[in-house]
Amino acid sequence: MIRLEGVTKTYKGEVVALRDATAEIQRGEFVFLVGPSGSGKSTFLRLVNREELATAGTIMVAGKDVGTLSSWKVPYLRRSIGYVFQDYKLLPKKTVAENVAFALEVIGRPRPVIRRKVPAILDLVGLSRKSERFPEELSGGEQQRVSIARAFVNQPLILLADEPTGNLDQATSVGIMRLLDRINRSGTTVLMATHDRGIVDTMRRRVIELDRGVVVRDESRGVYE
Amino acid sequence: MVFRVWYFLRETLVSLWRNLSLTLAAILTVAISLSLVGSSLLIREGAERATAQFQEGVEFIVFMNADVLSEQDVAIRDVLDTSPAIAEYTYIDKAAAYQEFRELFSDKPELVESVTPDIMPPSYRIVPANPDADNVAELARQFGEQPGVKEVATATEAIRQIEDFSTRVSQALLFAAVVLVAVSAVLILNTVFTAIGARREEIEVMKLVGATNWFIRIPFMLEGTIHGIFGAAMAIPALFVVDNRVLAYFQESEAVPLFRGFAVPDGYVWNTSIWMLVIGAAIGMVGSAIAVTRYLDV
């Protein structure tokens, strides 16, 4: 599903964010990307989503070489990838339901589809009763659920999550992880960057560790360190 | 598809409304610059029509009184037929003059109704043997002294006046117009840029979930195009004001007899209006296209 071969990413020709990274993630896997700040976790995710292009090496996502993908095809690649952020990136002037519907609207899905899917996904993340609230009226955990609903509503093949529990307390994080686990069990490949030791150690999933841009460890059912 | 159209319209209108002061500034600038473009075109067209009678070598026209006596008319014709100074001439009788008047003012039926063939002055359009300005002036003076002659219009004087006037005015207007058109395009670019800035978060999310570039661009380009079209629409009434007040002022002017022909039919004003809408839409599209390509890429 995701394959990196000898991928190097340098910024402005000097800062090395990722150095000769190689990894392969199969369909349906749940993978933690761990390492200290600045180790290249976010770059890894941004390369998969083609928000950035690799300086060297090949990246295959869902069977496509993202390095040679023409720019007009990028949106179609992104439709098969959901993205969840530490800071949620919800639109403050839209309600919960509108935020989720927005993701379908802007890729031109017909309205009947939107009307059917939005309540279903809000039900899945447990926010049916708050669909008319605005983001600022929700707790951090609830906002992250909206963000996950938005990322997942189009049933992507891959879900990328960049520190999704970074702003949440322990109890709330557990709830978010249950949700991501459930999404993973439905067949979606989940790649999550984190430095939440507790979560990684509890879940015991595959762990890819980065240190200063280098993949230093890749073990299935791994722990944080 | 219907849904998409609705989406684009909604987003465009919301954006226009959020950005109201800049939107109004952009629309007004387009309106002013296109009014100048249109006025310049009208004045040119007016001048061309006013001088249309002086084509094919005609250097001066002798207008007879409408109630000219037939012996006075015969005397003039006699001079024209025998004088070696006259190469050829055409006689425009009352009926032909009336016909010409009707054609010239075909879009002003009230004006046409106010005249009848019998009050039209018959005239002689004269091609002199020697088109030298001094010679023409001398001939005109001589004909002007003949009994039954109402007035003599010479091409050299009248055309020079009209052409000078129209060239200078329309060039000045056109120059100002070109500058203002550029200013409006830049203003639209800035307005659209501001609109993009105001929706940066939304655009980020749109890119993230896989909206195509065109889907993101279209509302902004529509916004710019609407600035252009609304501005042009506001300039259209201004054109009719120019037609009805400014051009009409010259038509009524006693100083230069030929300015009386200084009229453009409403049809021409409407054609110019359509061109202005096209130009306005083009300005808006170009301005907003620059803004979206510069600030919206993947």
Side-chain angles (χ1 to χ4, degrees):
Chain A
M1 186 56 61
I2 301 172
R3 196 171 82 229
L4 280 73
E5 277 174 20
V7 173
T8 296
K9 174 68 186 179
T10 55
Y11 291 105
K12 292 180 183 146
E14 29 188 281
V15 186
V16 181
L18 217 53
R19 192 191 301 272
D20 196 23
T22 296
E24 181 159 8
I25 296 165
Q26 304 296 333
R27 174 185 286 264
E29 270 194 283
F30 193 119
V31 180
F32 285 116
L33 205 52
V34 303
S37 298
S39 59
K41 303 190 297 292
S42 293
T43 300
F44 194 113
L45 297 182
R46 292 163 67 83
L47 285 168
V48 171
N49 199 31
R50 205 200 182 266
E51 275 180 84
E52 284 168 22
L53 282 168
T55 315
T58 315
I59 303 166
M60 302 289 292
V61 176
K64 295 184 189 83
D65 183 341
V66 299
T68 59
L69 196 65
S70 50
S71 64
W72 70 269
K73 284 183 181 164
V74 172
Y76 300 95
L77 171 77
R78 293 201 185 138
R79 290 178 192 186
S80 57
I81 303 173
Y83 213 123
V84 176
F85 297 91
Q86 180 170 2
D87 58 357
Y88 327 126
K89 294 201 194 295
L90 299 178
L91 301 174
K93 286 178 185 158
K94 291 186 188 289
T95 64
V96 166
E98 285 167 349
N99 262 285
V100 177
F102 186 70
L104 293 172
E105 257 179 55
V106 301
I107 59 170
R109 302 305 298 270
R111 207 179 301 194
V113 173
I114 297 175
R115 269 199 289 258
R116 196 180 66 239
K117 285 195 161 193
V118 172
I121 195 83
L122 286 178
D123 190 41
L124 177 80
V125 302
L127 284 174
S128 295
R129 297 169 65 186
K130 297 194 170 172
S131 66
E132 298 311 312
R133 300 279 185 90
F134 287 91
E136 61 176 15
E137 302 170 313
L138 303 178
S139 72
E142 287 168 334
Q143 289 189 53
Q144 191 58 291
R145 284 168 185 274
V146 178
S147 147
I148 292 170
R150 180 180 66 192
F152 192 60
V153 70
N154 196 34
Q155 278 144 340
L157 299 166
I158 299 167
L159 191 74
L160 303 177
D162 196 355
E163 308 269 6
T165 59
N167 285 353
L168 306 176
D169 60 44
Q170 193 62 39
T172 313
S173 297
V174 169
I176 293 295
M177 290 318 296
R178 282 213 185 100
L179 184 56
L180 289 179
D181 186 47
R182 194 166 159 195
I183 284 171
N184 175 241
R185 283 174 202 281
S186 75
T188 302
T189 310
V190 178
L191 179 56
M192 170 173 158
T194 186
H195 43 232
D196 190 325
R197 176 188 303 268
I199 285 170
V200 177
D201 290 349
T202 316
M203 301 254 308
R204 298 299 299 261
R205 298 299 184 96
R206 178 173 168 191
V207 173
I208 295 175
E209 185 180 346
L210 289 169
D211 187 15
R212 277 162 289 179
V214 179
V215 176
V216 292
R217 178 164 63 105
D218 184 349
E219 55 182 342
S220 53
R221 301 188 62 77
V223 291
Y224 192 84
E225 236 168 17
Chain B
M1 203 56 220
V2 176
F3 167 63
R4 280 194 190 200
V5 170
W6 168 240
Y7 168 87
F8 289 139
L9 285 179
R10 192 190 65 198
E11 294 302 306
T12 306
L13 289 178
V14 166
S15 190
L16 284 169
W17 182 249
R18 274 192 201 160
N19 232 342
L20 198 59
S21 59
L22 270 174
T23 297
L24 290 179
I27 289 176
L28 282 176
T29 317
V30 173
I32 291 167
S33 51
L34 287 181
S35 302
L36 293 182
V37 171
S39 304
S40 157
L41 291 173
L42 288 189
I43 287 170
R44 251 176 217 210
E45 178 70 11
E48 223 158 80
R49 280 164 188 268
T51 57
Q53 300 167 80
F54 289 94
Q55 277 162 1
E56 292 163 7
V58 172
E59 290 288 343
F60 68 104
I61 302 174
V62 175
F63 289 98
M64 309 303 289
N65 288 323
D67 53 357
V68 63
L69 302 169
S70 66
E71 61 263 32
Q72 292 171 336
D73 196 47
V74 168
I76 293 285
R77 198 176 299 234
D78 212 36
V79 174
L80 289 172
D81 284 337
T82 55
S83 169
I86 307 300
E88 54 180 288
Y89 70 92
T90 323
Y91 179 61
I92 310 290
D93 63 11
K94 285 171 183 285
Y98 179 69
Q99 189 56 37
E100 209 169 62
F101 185 87
R102 281 180 51 158
E103 279 167 18
L104 201 57
F105 297 101
S106 59
D107 285 299
K108 297 198 162 59
E110 70 286 355
L111 200 57
V112 173
E113 268 170 41
S114 71
V115 301
T116 51
D118 55 286
I119 66 158
M120 300 301 295
S123 59
Y124 292 94
R125 290 187 185 164
I126 300 162
V127 181
N130 173 11
D132 184 71
D134 289 342
N135 181 51
V136 171
E138 177 56 21
L139 284 172
R141 194 188 60 76
Q142 287 173 13
F143 276 101
E145 289 169 353
Q146 298 299 312
V149 171
K150 187 185 177 206
E151 64 183 329
V152 179
T154 62
T156 41
E157 183 199 359
I159 287 189
R160 203 184 55 235
Q161 278 179 336
I162 289 188
E163 283 181 347
D164 264 16
F165 163 79
S166 75
T167 315
R168 250 183 285 152
V169 172
S170 72
Q171 276 179 355
L173 287 180
L174 207 59
F175 175 75
V178 166
V179 172
L180 278 173
V181 163
V183 170
S184 3
V186 171
L187 196 53
I188 289 176
L189 188 153
N190 267 305
T191 310
V192 172
F193 179 47
T194 309
I196 290 172
R199 303 182 57 195
R200 224 179 23 249
E201 287 177 316
E202 269 171 70
I203 292 167
E204 193 185 350
V205 172
M206 287 166 92
K207 285 182 179 173
L208 208 66
V209 299
T212 59
N213 277 340
W214 280 111
F215 198 93
I216 301 174
R217 283 175 186 166
I218 284 173
F220 295 111
M221 295 195 57
L222 270 182
E223 188 175 339
T225 309
I226 285 175
H227 294 150
I229 291 176
F230 276 33
M234 284 173 69
I236 291 172
L239 268 197
F240 280 91
V241 169
V242 167
D243 183 35
N244 291 334
R245 300 260 176 245
V246 183
L247 295 194
Y249 170 78
F250 289 113
Q251 288 160 32
E252 286 154 14
S253 135
E254 285 298 318
V256 189
L258 271 177
F259 272 2
R260 265 173 243 151
F262 211 117
V264 288
D266 284 354
Y268 184 81
V269 184
W270 280 118
N271 279 345
T272 310
S273 306
I274 289 167
W275 273 110
M276 284 174 19
L277 285 173
V278 172
I279 297 172
I283 296 172
M285 269 192 243
V286 168
S288 55
I290 294 172
V292 296
T293 43
R294 276 190 63 183
Y295 304 113
L296 268 190
D297 262 354
V298 206

